Amino acid sequence: MTSPVVLFVHSAGPQGPGEGSEPLVRRLREELGPEYEVLFPKMPGTEEPHYEPWRDRLSAELAGLGKGVVIFGHSLGGSVALKYVAEGTVVDRVAGLVVAATPYWGSSEWEREWALPEGWPAEETRLPPIFLFHSRDDEEIPFAHLDLYAKRLPDSEVHPLDGNGHLFDRGDLTEVVAAARSL
């Protein structure tokens, strides 16, 4: 039997030891334990990210994996994961999504690159389970973005948290780990 796989899509910016999403990935690996494989591929152009190269990298990573992958997106990585699922390419292969500290994008010219498609999800759209996490003390992305996603994705599980900041490098990960394990 193969280990469950969590494919982690990181935030923008540096991702070296102690930077960006790396501390969260380290904590997830520790708390999920050795029975889970947590993949942490470096996304292209982290200092000046664009959706298409990140989408292509996510697609390439998923192509090498079987069914039942949990996609975990942090910050901009959550935006990429949600938009990728909105494009309809992976619903049957993905066990579910866990997204944390994800910005909600509007319709301005520069935001459209990351925003969910207009009208998505349609009523008949079949989605994998989606867990939304955001910490009230996030210093980068307004906490109100969690409510915007909750309204847009009413079937998702919404988890407001305290004490995790933007990077989820502190605070309690019990609910986050439970969500990943449930998938």
Side-chain angles (χ1 to χ4, degrees):
M1 182 172 183
T2 61
S3 298
V5 174
V6 175
L7 178 56
F8 194 99
V9 186
H10 61 69
S11 61
Q15 299 300 314
E19 297 178 309
S21 299
E22 190 277 334
L24 173 54
V25 170
R26 189 173 355 102
R27 291 182 70 205
L28 277 175
R29 284 179 173 150
E30 289 170 8
E31 295 197 29
L32 285 170
E35 64 270 20
Y36 279 80
E37 182 177 4
V38 179
L39 304 176
F40 183 46
K42 178 125 183 196
M43 302 305 275
T46 60
E47 296 299 326
E48 270 191 59
H50 290 283
Y51 175 70
E52 286 185 6
W54 282 45
R55 176 203 62 206
D56 295 348
R57 179 63 190 266
L58 178 56
S59 184
E61 292 290 328
L62 283 168
L65 302 171
K67 289 186 176 193
V69 174
V70 174
I71 298 177
F72 192 117
H74 174 237
S75 191
L76 185 64
S79 299
V80 172
L82 287 166
K83 187 168 181 173
Y84 188 73
V85 168
E87 292 173 346
T89 56
V90 296
V91 173
D92 292 332
R93 298 190 52 221
V94 173
L97 297 176
V98 178
V99 297
T102 301
Y104 190 89
W105 301 95
S107 58
S108 72
E109 183 68 34
W110 70 271
E111 289 180 294
R112 269 188 245 141
E113 178 177 12
W114 306 103
L116 295 174
E118 202 169 306
W120 182 86
E123 210 171 292
E124 68 279 356
T125 303
R126 190 171 62 88
L127 297 173
I130 300 173
F131 293 84
L132 305 170
F133 291 91
H134 209 109
S135 190
R136 287 180 183 88
D137 66 335
D138 188 324
E139 60 280 353
E140 298 291 325
I141 307 300
F143 181 70
H145 286 212
L146 178 65
D147 189 48
L148 294 170
Y149 275 117
K151 288 176 182 164
R152 183 80 182 261
L153 301 165
D155 292 334
S156 61
E157 281 197 37
V158 180
H159 296 266
L161 301 173
D162 292 303
N164 294 88
H166 179 67
L167 296 177
F168 279 67
D169 57 350
R170 60 186 184 269
D172 186 4
L173 289 184
T174 303
E175 289 182 61
V176 176
V177 170
R181 286 185 182 278
S182 74
L183 299 168

